[in-house]
Amino acid sequence: MRFSKEHEWVKLEGSDAKVGITNFAQLELGEIVFVDLPNIGDNFKVGDEIAVIESVKAASEIYAPVSGEIIEVNSILLDSPQLINEQPYEAGWIFKLALISIDAVNDLMDEDSYQSYINSKN
Amino acid sequence: MPLKNKNDATALFSLHQQYEANFVEFSGFQMPLHYAPGILNEHIHTRQKCSLFDVSHMGQIDLSGMDVVKQFEALIPTDINNLAENRSVYSVLTNQYGGVIDDLIITKRNNSLRLIVNAINKSKVVDYLKKSMIDVSINLLEEYSLIALQGPMSEKILSKIFKGHEKLVFMNGLPISFNNQDFFISRSGYTGEDGFEISLPNHAVLNFVSQLLAFDDVKLAGLGARDSLRIEAGLCLYGNELSATITPVKAKLSWLITRHSSNRFPGSEIIFNELLNEPNVTKIGVTSDEKFIPRKDTVINDVSGKKIGIVSSGCFSPILQKSIALAFVEYNHAHLGNEIYFDIRGKSRPGKVVSLPFISHKYIKTNKKAS
């Protein structure tokens, strides 16, 4: 699993990438009430706004951590957005991308680097 | 550690810490935004059972002196001359343009008036009253805390501690001596639920609150739930639905204008004129079935994309399970059922004008024993 500076996690599944937000991110957001998901087939470049998460406290944009095409979205989140709070790395995944470059995932932070990145922000 | 750092925290600060409060700074006070259960759970608990809110950051002001009622009445649009002892009314201090200096609760007590004003306006109100009244002593009661117990079980819970409060109707109060301390208990609140607000000395509050929290059905709730509860109840918040440029008529508070139009108070001509000729903008309630939250300052457009208003407060309603908002729009777009469009991050998202409150008020307005 790799991590972006925007607090997303990315997991390689073959040449696809599964994406969600980190435990740190869900704690910061608080209780999540809505998730606005992208459409299957949409293409995104790294840094593009790809989804929006609304919590009781604030709205938060999710940016594409890597470039690719949306091949699947976690539509269970439409009715059960709290899964992101409850299981951010499992049932709370948000979307899957068909990757343009596998290397782009490996260029993201590993767990240790992400942990020091969070620590440096606090 | 001292319990109260003046102008920094309320007398319950250490209790809030003990219950894992997530703090937010609110008009100079460190106040609990929510506790461990979170805003949604605290909100729902209030509507189903009973929540305890620390609202001691609000200003409690005592006004006494000759002609205090007459002098104070000259500053507000509400008739208080006939207000009975221990009775309260909600009103606003108006400015010369008909806008609002503060919204407040006024209670008649022992020939004096007790005001509860917004934390954010405390010093502004004290300065204004000093300037506007003659030979009246104006005391900000910093040695008193204010606790709100809100929800359908409030009366029953309080019955385990007090007697007499069950006879009170909405906006009616009662002085009580509790462990030789002076408490004042009023059937009121700002959540739309039945409930009580209790004014009591700072040194007695921790003990009293601990007694209430010993009951399983009583949970602490923070300012986050207080805000979503008052939005569901359609109630105004100063800085959102009320300000120096928003008249009580625009904020749909015409019901509190009970003084005769021959009376004068700051901005009275503008206000009485708006009552006769409809204001150019007005407060509305809006809901949406789409997955976004229309937050404060979100622009509202008509179907053609022309700006017609702005959101003053918005949240996810935990009871309705959808987004709700209070907003100000041009008068001809305010009719029930009208479709409006929120500008959400550049996208147009629909909403509909609905009647207020979003959740009906549960105030006890008639005495059960008398009826």
Side-chain angles (χ1 to χ4, degrees):
Chain A
M1 199 177 270
R2 297 280 165 158
F3 302 88
S4 76
K5 287 187 174 173
E6 310 292 340
H7 306 284
E8 291 128 342
W9 56 261
V10 183
K11 199 167 148 189
L12 267 181
E13 294 189 340
S15 60
D16 302 330
K18 199 176 191 180
V19 179
I21 65 167
T22 65
N23 189 49
F24 174 85
Q26 72 82 13
L27 284 172
E28 286 285 297
L29 279 171
E31 301 147 290
I32 293 165
V33 291
F34 293 131
V35 182
D36 202 0
L37 295 168
N39 297 315
I40 289 168
D42 284 357
N43 281 281
F44 294 96
K45 288 202 296 283
V46 63
D48 287 349
E49 185 189 313
I50 202 163
V52 178
I53 295 179
E54 293 260 17
S55 76
V56 169
K57 289 183 207 163
S60 176
E61 287 89 359
I62 304 299
Y63 301 99
V66 284
S67 304
E69 179 189 329
I70 298 288
I71 51 165
E72 203 180 333
V73 295
N74 186 3
S75 46
I76 298 167
L77 295 178
L78 296 175
D79 287 326
S80 304
Q82 73 281 5
L83 283 176
I84 298 177
N85 293 119
E86 290 163 7
Q87 301 179 43
Y89 300 108
E90 303 292 339
W93 67 277
I94 303 173
F95 53 82
K96 277 184 201 171
L97 290 164
L99 287 168
I100 292 171
S101 153
I102 291 178
D103 287 346
V105 175
N106 292 321
D107 289 345
L108 295 169
M109 287 179 274
D110 62 17
E111 196 168 345
D112 287 347
S113 318
Y114 178 64
Q115 199 55 52
S116 3
Y117 173 70
I118 297 174
N119 294 344
S120 72
K121 293 215 122 189
N122 283 352
Chain B
M1 198 181 90
L3 282 179
K4 184 172 161 107
N5 298 318
K6 201 164 175 285
N7 299 327
D8 182 29
T10 70
L12 291 176
F13 185 71
S14 59
L15 180 100
H16 300 319
Q17 283 181 313
Q18 189 192 324
Y19 281 83
E20 298 172 52
N22 187 306
F23 287 95
V24 60
E25 200 206 304
F26 189 78
S27 17
F29 283 83
Q30 287 297 316
M31 296 302 291
L33 180 62
H34 61 83
Y35 301 86
I39 295 171
L40 293 176
N41 288 328
E42 291 167 20
H43 181 115
I44 290 165
H45 187 83
T46 312
R47 294 256 184 259
Q48 293 179 342
K49 292 182 174 175
C50 179
S51 293
L52 195 153
F53 300 79
D54 179 16
V55 288
S56 307
H57 58 308
M58 299 189 80
Q60 301 184 65
I61 300 172
D62 190 72
L63 302 179
S64 56
M66 281 280 286
D67 291 335
V68 63
V69 172
K70 204 173 156 196
Q71 286 196 62
F72 191 74
E73 198 180 51
L75 305 174
I76 59 172
T78 307
D79 184 341
I80 55 167
N81 192 36
N82 298 314
L83 193 62
E85 181 74 7
N86 297 330
R87 279 251 173 202
S88 304
V89 285
Y90 176 72
S91 189
V92 289
L93 287 164
T94 49
N95 64 29
Q96 58 178 314
Y97 308 105
V100 174
I101 296 168
D102 196 19
D103 62 319
L104 71 179
I105 301 279
I106 306 153
T107 307
K108 180 92 69 77
R109 286 178 64 181
N110 304 326
N111 299 320
S112 73
L113 293 176
R114 180 66 62 89
L115 313 180
I116 298 177
V117 305
N118 283 295
I120 201 164
N121 292 327
K122 225 185 276 188
S123 53
K124 182 177 77 176
V125 168
V126 170
D127 291 347
Y128 173 69
L129 294 179
K130 281 183 178 160
K131 210 175 60 189
S132 311
M133 303 174 83
I134 301 160
D135 293 335
V136 168
S137 91
I138 299 162
N139 291 315
L140 183 61
L141 305 172
E142 292 191 285
E143 69 281 12
Y144 275 77
S145 293
L146 190 66
I147 298 303
L149 197 64
Q150 300 282 294
M153 295 183 71
S154 303
E155 181 190 302
K156 209 173 119 195
I157 298 285
L158 271 189
S159 298
K160 298 169 196 265
I161 299 181
F162 289 142
K163 255 193 172 55
H165 66 284
E166 70 282 351
K167 296 194 190 74
L168 295 172
V169 294
F170 185 60
M171 298 300 265
N172 209 343
L174 178 73
I176 287 186
S177 176
F178 184 72
N179 293 344
N180 294 318
Q181 302 292 332
D182 290 333
F183 283 35
F184 188 81
I185 175 166
S186 160
R187 195 154 205 159
S188 57
Y190 220 59
T191 60
E193 292 299 319
D194 181 26
F196 299 85
E197 288 189 332
I198 301 145
S199 170
L200 70 173
N202 287 339
H203 58 81
V205 69
L206 186 60
N207 177 276
F208 177 67
V209 164
S210 302
Q211 285 191 48
L212 288 172
L213 288 174
F215 301 110
D216 287 343
D217 289 324
V218 182
K219 304 266 186 239
L220 284 163
L223 291 187
R226 186 171 157 85
D227 196 48
S228 51
L229 287 159
R230 71 94 197 159
I231 297 173
E232 277 187 347
L235 301 171
C236 295
L237 175 67
Y238 196 89
N240 293 40
E241 286 75 35
L242 294 170
S243 76
T245 57
I246 301 172
T247 65
V249 183
K250 290 187 173 83
K252 286 277 172 73
L253 296 176
S254 301
W255 57 268
L256 65 73
I257 304 164
T258 52
R259 297 189 68 206
H260 190 265
S261 57
S262 62
N263 292 135
R264 308 274 303 170
F265 55 88
S268 52
E269 279 172 36
I270 293 166
I271 286 173
F272 284 124
N273 186 49
E274 273 191 352
L275 273 181
L276 287 176
N277 302 305
E278 308 295 4
N280 53 350
V281 299
T282 189
K283 189 182 86 173
I284 56 166
V286 203
T287 62
S288 179
D289 292 321
E290 294 204 7
K291 295 183 180 297
F292 67 94
I293 299 177
R295 297 177 198 271
K296 185 175 193 275
D297 298 333
T298 298
V299 168
I300 296 176
N301 298 317
D302 67 6
V303 67
S304 72
K306 184 176 88 71
K307 182 180 171 180
I308 54 166
I310 198 154
V311 173
S312 49
S313 298
C315 70
F316 174 76
S317 161
I319 301 300
L320 301 177
Q321 287 287 309
K322 60 173 158 184
S323 282
I324 58 172
L326 300 173
F328 286 85
V329 295
E330 292 170 13
Y331 195 81
N332 55 341
H333 290 278
H335 50 283
L336 295 183
N338 189 36
E339 292 272 347
I340 53 97
Y341 298 86
F342 298 103
D343 182 344
I344 302 292
R345 295 174 287 273
K347 286 184 204 157
S348 182
R349 312 288 293 264
K352 199 166 90 176
V353 180
V354 298
S355 61
L356 289 173
F358 297 103
I359 302 288
S360 61
H361 297 162
K362 308 291 192 309
Y363 305 143
I364 304 297
K365 293 197 167 176
T366 50
N367 190 322
K368 285 168 286 183
K369 311 250 168 359
S371 60

